Amino acid sequence: MVEKAAKTWLNPVPVLRTLAAIVVVAGLACAAAPASTRSPLVAPGVTVAGIRVDGLTAEPARARVERAFARPVTIRTPAGPVRVSPAQVGAASSIDAAVSSALDATPHSAIALPTRLSAARIAAVVRRLGRRFDRVPVDATLTGATVGGPVFTASKPGIAVDTKTMRAELEQALRSSDRKPLVLHRRALAPKRTAATFGPVIVVVRGANSLTLYRGTKPVRRFSVATGQAIYPTPAGLWHIMDKQLDPWWYPPTYDAWAKGLKPVPPGPSNPLGTRWMGLNAPGVGIHGTDEPTSIGYSASHGCIRMQVPDAEWLFQRVSVGTPVVIL
């Protein structure tokens, strides 16, 4: 019995069969287990909106593109840099879609990155720049005159943000990844009125009984006139024409004793105002023609400025309501 048992234990056949079965089962188990997969990489030379993402998997590629487009755009201004973030203008980019396209792209492909912007928000940013940096031009103003002509304050040019250019450049910069600094574009604004372009100005010199029409600082024509008597002086100061009448009626001033009992005079050769009236904002005073041409050159009126009828007609055509009159 002992010898038979020993022979059975030393028989290798059952042992080999058992080992073979174990190997087969293990092999089947390995075949049934899922193999580990590697995340795909972006092919060599591939870019998204100019940003290199080659050799990266999806998440690092997305993060790189996102960082690049999250940076603000810098605008260089006279007061220092102004930064505009994508969030300020409602920028939204399709980064996930662009990265997916990059993963599927062939080597050296350039993938675009569509970016949506709010035109209204960009315009609002540029308007704020305008409110901060615009300067309104200053017109020349008439302050008086000397015997040499009118005296003006100096005009000053203004400056304004070039809104059209800034909107276009800001939009382009926010769609780009390089974020190059922008320069604040501004344009000069000319004043509407300078001393040279001021327009008509009348200067009356009582002592010389003269009236000169100027265009800004340039004399156009000088006339001999009659001004007020010593008892009825033509008022000195800075005035303006407030009324123009063609073939006016003359009405006696009720507040002056010299006109007491006089009646209104209709248009015609005996009208004291001639054929043209240019009334000033000085009460009762105007520039007009006359039916007394021999009074011209003297201090002979009751405060008005008399001209020869043809001269008054010439002047009437070249001035308007609002034209300044300086009486020295």
Side-chain angles (χ1 to χ4, degrees), residues 222-262:
R222 184 178 180 275
F223 302 93
S224 183
V225 296
T227 56
Q229 305 169 38
I231 195 173
Y232 301 112
T234 301
L238 176 57
W239 313 99
H240 65 268
I241 293 175
M242 63 176 297
D243 175 41
K244 291 178 67 181
Q245 294 181 36
L246 179 69
D247 295 324
W249 277 68
W250 178 80
Y251 294 94
T254 57
Y255 50 83
D256 279 331
W258 66 266
K260 187 176 181 179
L262 298 177

Side-chain angles (χ1 to χ4, degrees), residues 58-311:
E59 184 56 28
R62 188 195 66 77
R64 180 176 290 184
V65 175
E66 190 174 59
R67 281 195 304 271
F69 275 85
R71 290 178 298 156
V73 173
T74 300
I75 303 174
R76 294 172 178 163
T77 75
V82 172
R83 293 176 177 84
V84 181
S85 69
Q88 283 180 263
V89 295
S93 301
S94 305
I95 295 176
D96 291 338
V99 170
S100 295
S101 298
L103 289 167
D104 295 334
T106 57
H108 305 289
S109 296
I111 308 300
L113 180 62
T115 300
R116 297 182 302 279
L117 302 170
S118 169
R121 290 192 184 185
I122 290 177
V125 168
V126 174
R127 281 197 301 271
R128 285 195 293 272
L129 290 170
R131 287 195 294 270
R132 183 175 176 185
F133 296 106
D134 285 359
R135 298 292 179 269
V136 177
V138 177
D139 288 342
T141 57
L142 179 69
T143 60
T146 68
V147 291
V151 176
F152 300 94
T153 61
S155 60
K156 296 179 181 178
I159 195 164
V161 171
D162 187 340
T163 56
K164 183 177 180 180
T165 300
M166 288 310 305
R167 285 198 303 266
E169 289 199 357
L170 185 55
E171 181 176 341
Q172 183 179 359
L174 289 162
R175 294 185 187 278
S176 172
S177 62
D178 57 21
R179 293 296 195 261
K180 290 181 179 178
L182 304 179
V183 175
L184 184 65
H185 290 277
R186 297 194 292 174
R187 54 188 176 84
L189 297 177
K192 293 180 180 178
R193 278 186 167 184
T194 65
T197 64
F198 190 85
V201 177
I202 295 172
V203 177
V204 177
V205 181
R206 295 185 307 186
N209 285 309
S210 68
L211 180 154
T212 306
L213 175 66
Y214 289 84
R215 288 282 177 185
T217 56
K218 183 179 180 181
V220 178
R221 189 172 173 184
R222 184 178 180 275
F223 302 93
S224 183
V225 296
T227 56
Q229 305 169 38
I231 195 173
Y232 301 112
T234 301
L238 176 57
W239 313 99
H240 65 268
I241 293 175
M242 63 176 297
D243 175 41
K244 291 178 67 181
Q245 294 181 36
L246 179 69
D247 295 324
W249 277 68
W250 178 80
Y251 294 94
T254 57
Y255 50 83
D256 279 331
W258 66 266
K260 187 176 181 179
L262 298 177
K263 296 182 180 300
V265 179
S270 61
N271 189 301
L273 304 181
T275 59
R276 302 291 185 271
W277 165 262
M278 293 159 272
L280 307 186
N281 59 326
V285 177
I287 303 169
H288 58 82
T290 182
D291 63 340
E292 297 182 29
T294 57
S295 68
I296 299 301
Y298 299 94
S299 299
S301 77
H302 294 93
C304 286
I305 300 143
R306 298 177 184 173
M307 303 182 74
Q308 298 285 5
V309 168
D311 294 344

